[in-house]
Amino acid sequence: MKKSLRAFLLSISCCASLFGAANKLSDIEPAREFYVDLEPKACDTKCLVTLLKKGQIFSFLSRFRENLANDELSMKYRDFLAVNFGSFGSSSTPSFVPTGSAAKIAVLIPQKTIKSYSVIVSNSIIAYSAAAKNKALAQFFLFDDESNIGSVLENVLAQGFNYAIAPITDAALEQIADERYKGIFFYVPTLHASLARYEQPNILFGGVDYDGQIRSLSQKTDGKIASISDGSRLGSMLNRQVALQNPDAFLSVIETKNVDLRGELRRSGFMGASVFLNTTLLKTSLISSQFRVYDVNVKKVLCTQICYDPALFSLTQPSDRANMLIAISFSDIDENLLANAKLLGVDLKYDRVAYPVMFGMDYIITNFIDKNAHSFFMESVSGSQVQYKTQILQPTKSGFEIVE
């Protein structure tokens, strides 16, 4: 398959047959030998060949990357999809076509922009499809980056799509907000409406409510507040949000790759403060441990959903987490959705993109395509934003516990 625009159609009814009912995984031979490889490293040619030899077909499908595969593996990838889901068209741009079906939801995936989340988005939709057992279809439009989104949108428009899921950054908002596409309902799972420069009645945002999380965490503090960013786009945005809500907050950016952060952390602004860590999980664990090691007497360590990860327990000591609070925005998750997502290597409980993506599928299907369909989600929509309920958790010896 070429790196240019690619599209394949996925039938939800066919996806449902992969998993079956009453805890039966599948009637398809390879599926009975199914094994989920949760190794986060890229799966190269040797890795993919090993998965095939072991009969781990769905791990092969979920971890396949064209740039890491040879021609033979690419053919096997297409052949397996064709055998189990439908047939591939013969055009120069491969498309995945289930017999007698027509896609209703376009899914736009700028691969280089959202990187590893490309797989999470597609697998989340497949998992939802299997759980919902409805007749809606999703067509995936895979393209390099958001600089190409104009031609993709023209393609979506030309094919007559009325609904689209677009996991994009704010850089592409101007284009989907163009008057030409007002007839398409766009759902953006990666952005919150408060951060959008463009708001249109046909655009719904489902991104994590970081602003609400920071507000809820700020209410758990008294006295000094400080905030640390790692210099990333998200970290910098969160630092700005902290400053907007807490004008007197002491702000710091720690971009260094040095392991020893003593010089950075023993600044007066951190002493006796409640500190927001707007950093990666790894850097959060490093900073929280060095607060303790270097006797930086902080009142609380505060984290948004970017640190909501079970790996936190293996990366930190109990004493590092003793005064840590983490805000999350998602509700309880249907067990069927959880199970189907795990089969495809997606941890729906902790992934901050998978949950909004599934909500988008659910919302479009139950509000437009099939209003009699069962909804798996409790969140409501107000204006142009999905309304998430923020909860505060504390990492304890027994796991993440809700703080009242």
Side-chain angles (χ1 to χ4, degrees):
M1 293 182 282
K2 297 181 179 179
K3 291 185 178 179
S4 58
L5 175 66
R6 294 170 291 176
F8 62 91
L9 298 181
L10 174 65
S11 168
I12 284 179
S13 58
C14 287
C15 284
S17 69
L18 281 178
F19 302 100
N23 300 321
K24 183 180 179 182
L25 290 181
S26 175
D27 289 325
I28 303 171
E29 182 64 28
R32 289 200 289 269
E33 300 175 303
F34 176 71
Y35 169 80
V36 177
D37 190 340
L38 298 178
E39 171 61 49
K41 295 181 180 179
C43 191
D44 58 15
T45 299
K46 182 178 179 181
C47 168
L48 292 170
V49 169
T50 300
L51 292 177
L52 285 177
K53 286 182 177 179
K54 292 181 177 181
Q56 298 167 10
I57 302 301
F58 290 98
S59 288
F60 171 79
L61 287 176
S62 65
R63 302 189 67 190
F64 177 88
R65 301 291 182 281
E66 186 178 352
N67 62 336
L68 298 178
N70 56 31
D71 291 342
E72 182 180 359
L73 288 171
S74 296
M75 183 63 69
K76 287 184 180 296
Y77 178 80
R78 295 181 61 191
D79 286 347
F80 185 81
L81 288 176
V83 168
N84 290 287
F85 296 108
S87 60
F88 279 97
S90 58
S91 63
S92 58
T93 301
S95 60
F96 184 62
V97 186
T99 305
S101 300
K104 296 181 180 179
I105 303 173
V107 183
L108 317 184
I109 302 183
Q111 297 177 98
K112 290 182 180 179
T113 303
I114 63 174
K115 300 179 181 177
S116 61
Y117 282 110
S118 299
V119 177
I120 291 174
V121 170
S122 57
N123 285 356
S124 297
I125 288 176
I126 293 172
Y128 176 85
S129 304
K133 299 179 181 179
N134 50 53
K135 301 297 182 181
L137 296 169
Q139 178 167 327
F140 293 79
F141 292 82
L142 281 70
F143 52 104
D144 281 346
D145 56 49
E146 293 176 342
S147 64
N148 307 124
I149 197 170
S151 60
V152 176
L153 290 172
E154 288 301 310
N155 197 350
V156 170
L157 184 66
Q159 294 191 41
F161 284 95
N162 294 317
Y163 313 102
I165 294 176
I168 58 174
T169 68
D170 56 354
L173 270 180
E174 182 177 5
Q175 296 196 65
I176 70 168
D178 190 279
E179 184 74 10
R180 285 176 52 79
Y181 311 117
K182 66 180 182 180
I184 302 174
F185 177 86
F186 288 97
Y187 174 76
V188 183
T190 44
L191 291 174
H192 190 273
S194 62
L195 304 177
R197 293 174 295 167
Y198 299 90
E199 291 191 28
Q200 302 287 347
N202 65 313
I203 301 177
L204 175 65
F205 297 94
V208 172
D209 185 9
Y210 290 116
D211 186 59
Q213 292 180 6
I214 291 171
R215 185 179 302 107
S216 295
L217 288 168
S218 296
Q219 292 171 355
K220 297 293 184 181
T221 68
D222 55 7
K224 292 170 59 176
I225 290 180
S227 185
I228 300 175
S229 164
D230 57 9
S232 66
R233 182 172 183 169
L234 177 57
S236 299
M237 180 273 289
L238 293 175
N239 249 22
R240 291 193 299 270
Q241 293 296 108
V242 172
L244 286 173
Q245 294 190 31
N246 305 278
D248 297 327
F250 174 74
L251 303 182
S252 175
V253 179
I254 300 181
E255 297 181 90
T256 179
K257 295 182 179 179
N258 294 337
V259 175
D260 190 342
L261 302 175
R262 175 169 46 184
E264 300 280 355
L265 300 180
R266 289 189 62 82
R267 298 163 69 184
S268 61
F270 295 127
M271 300 295 182
S274 294
V275 184
F276 282 88
L277 297 186
N278 302 316
T279 56
T280 63
L281 184 63
L282 186 60
K283 182 160 281 190
T284 291
S285 63
L286 182 66
I287 292 173
S288 61
S289 67
Q290 293 191 28
F291 279 150
R292 169 180 50 83
V293 170
Y294 295 126
D295 295 321
V296 182
N297 184 27
V298 299
K299 284 187 176 179
K300 289 184 174 70
V301 175
L302 309 172
C303 303
T304 62
Q305 195 151 347
I306 59 176
C307 293
Y308 182 51
D309 191 312
L312 179 69
F313 294 95
S314 61
L315 291 171
T316 58
Q317 299 295 320
S319 54
D320 302 334
R321 305 188 299 267
N323 60 349
M324 182 180 289
L325 297 177
I326 298 174
I328 66 169
S329 294
F330 302 153
S331 303
D332 292 338
I333 303 168
D334 180 88
E335 291 297 327
N336 200 17
L337 287 181
L338 275 175
N340 285 336
K342 284 187 177 180
L343 286 175
L344 290 171
V346 177
D347 196 333
L348 185 57
K349 183 176 181 179
Y350 295 102
D351 194 284
R352 61 183 186 273
V353 171
Y355 188 102
V357 167
M358 283 200 183
F359 176 88
M361 278 290 288
D362 188 89
Y363 183 83
I364 290 173
I365 291 171
T366 59
N367 283 272
F368 302 112
I369 296 175
D370 182 3
K371 294 184 179 181
N372 294 320
H374 165 70
S375 175
F376 290 93
F377 295 87
M378 297 183 293
E379 285 83 1
S380 61
V381 169
S382 178
S384 58
Q385 175 61 45
V386 179
Q387 300 300 303
Y388 297 114
K389 178 184 177 182
T390 299
Q391 293 181 308
I392 303 298
L393 307 179
Q394 184 167 22
T396 68
K397 292 181 179 180
S398 57
F400 293 104
E401 295 187 357
I402 297 176
V403 175
E404 298 298 336

